Amino acid sequence: MNLQILPLQGVPFIKGGEDLGSVLIKVLENSSVSLRDHDVVVVAQKIVSKAENRMVALASVTPSPRAQQLAINVDKDPRLVELILRESIGIVRQKKGVLITRHRLGFVAANSGIDQSNVDHSNGEHALLLPIAPDRSAQKIRATLAEQTNSNIGVIISDSVNRPWRLGSVGIAIGVAHTAVLDDRRGDTDLFGRVLNITVSNRADSIATAALLVMGETDENIPVAIVRGLTPLDGLDGAHRGNRPVEEDLFQ
């Protein structure tokens, strides 16, 4: 395997209502990079959310009594806490400065994945929410890219999260189109012929993390990367396949 991670340079600042797939086609046409069969295009959640008008002005948010009390407990803006609650299906942990929730999409994240970095606050405080349906967003982007470039590709919408057992953030796939989320190796054998009973790799998250190495998280302005050289492993199920069922979560 000869794995390559290619940054897609020149992606413009995305505005609400733009067709992201069409924007990326224009960027590809102006770049030295072309898509090949079995490439996986990793797109940062932030530009997907911006294109889908998921930016919310905090001035437009009226916090509920629950949000106001919780905001005191965690020392956060009650308007932000209100948005966090709306985007979640439950609180996992809370303390001063920390609010971890189970997002409505099924995964656990700080602040329901809501972000305020790399967001223009010149006209007042804003917050950027995750896409409504990231798998559907990935499918839409993939349809445009595949058709316009005549290539059989996958698309992953990535976000970065922290993990309870480790320091630092890694990438995860919150939206997936036409590439397998999990690589189930149970039943295979190891180097010594021992049958594997529990080995299931989260392939989509691994790809998202690999792409994060070139995309960055601060001022790099590289919201798209192409991961090339992977062994083809198509899948049609979506990012939810990577969520551990609540009944199996020993750390909630």
Side-chain angles (χ1 to χ4, degrees):
M1 179 186 297
N2 182 20
L3 189 65
Q4 295 178 282
I5 307 169
L6 309 173
L8 187 58
Q9 305 278 1
V11 178
F13 286 107
I14 301 300
K15 300 176 182 177
E18 289 192 275
D19 185 313
L20 196 50
S22 297
V23 172
L24 296 183
I25 286 295
K26 291 179 181 178
V27 175
L28 283 166
E29 290 173 348
N30 295 325
S31 75
S32 60
V33 179
S34 58
L35 295 181
R36 302 177 185 175
D37 286 346
H38 311 305
D39 284 350
V40 178
V41 180
V42 181
V43 183
Q45 159 271 320
K46 193 159 291 183
I47 65 171
V48 179
S49 291
K50 288 179 179 178
E52 296 182 356
N53 292 303
R54 294 290 284 160
M55 189 82 73
V56 178
L58 293 191
S60 70
V61 178
T62 302
S64 64
R66 181 190 180 200
Q68 291 174 358
Q69 181 57 57
L70 184 56
I72 295 172
N73 297 341
V74 298
D75 192 26
K76 291 181 179 291
D77 188 319
R79 301 168 299 176
L80 179 61
V81 172
E82 175 63 28
L83 292 175
I84 293 169
L85 291 176
R86 292 179 189 177
E87 287 289 290
S88 73
I89 56 175
I91 296 174
V92 176
R93 291 288 187 272
Q94 59 171 293
K95 70 173 189 177
K96 187 173 182 179
V98 178
L99 184 53
I100 300 173
T101 63
R102 189 173 299 276
H103 193 272
R104 57 179 173 75
L105 294 171
F107 55 83
V108 174
N111 302 326
S112 296
I114 295 173
D115 200 355
Q116 292 186 284
S117 63
N118 283 321
V119 168
D120 185 2
H121 299 288
S122 58
N123 293 318
E125 289 288 302
H126 286 70
L128 190 63
L129 282 56
L130 298 186
I132 293 290
D135 283 333
R136 188 172 64 208
S137 303
Q139 291 160 9
K140 181 180 178 182
I141 294 169
R142 194 260 171 191
T144 300
L145 295 180
E147 179 182 356
Q148 295 296 317
T149 64
N150 193 30
S151 57
N152 181 22
I153 61 165
V155 169
I156 287 175
I157 296 174
S158 68
D159 198 6
S160 57
V161 298
N162 285 284
R163 301 150 296 161
W165 312 279
R166 304 285 290 176
L167 292 175
S169 59
V170 296
I172 64 167
I174 65 168
V176 175
H178 207 69
T179 189
V181 174
L182 301 177
D183 184 6
D184 191 345
R185 307 307 298 269
R186 291 173 295 184
D188 291 353
T189 55
D190 66 11
L191 291 172
F192 301 96
R194 184 183 181 89
V195 176
L196 304 175
N197 295 314
I198 60 173
T199 303
V200 180
S201 299
N202 194 314
R203 187 173 185 268
D205 283 357
S206 297
I207 295 170
T209 294
L212 187 64
L213 294 174
V214 301
M215 293 162 71
E217 295 189 87
T218 54
D219 61 355
E220 292 85 357
N221 194 27
I222 303 175
V224 181
I226 299 164
V227 180
R228 176 170 294 165
L230 294 163
T231 301
L233 192 60
D234 293 341
L236 301 174
D237 11 47
H240 67 276
R241 287 274 292 160
N243 295 335
R244 185 177 296 280
V246 176
E247 61 271 16
E248 295 180 12
D249 186 352
L250 302 181
F251 297 90
Q252 60 177 328

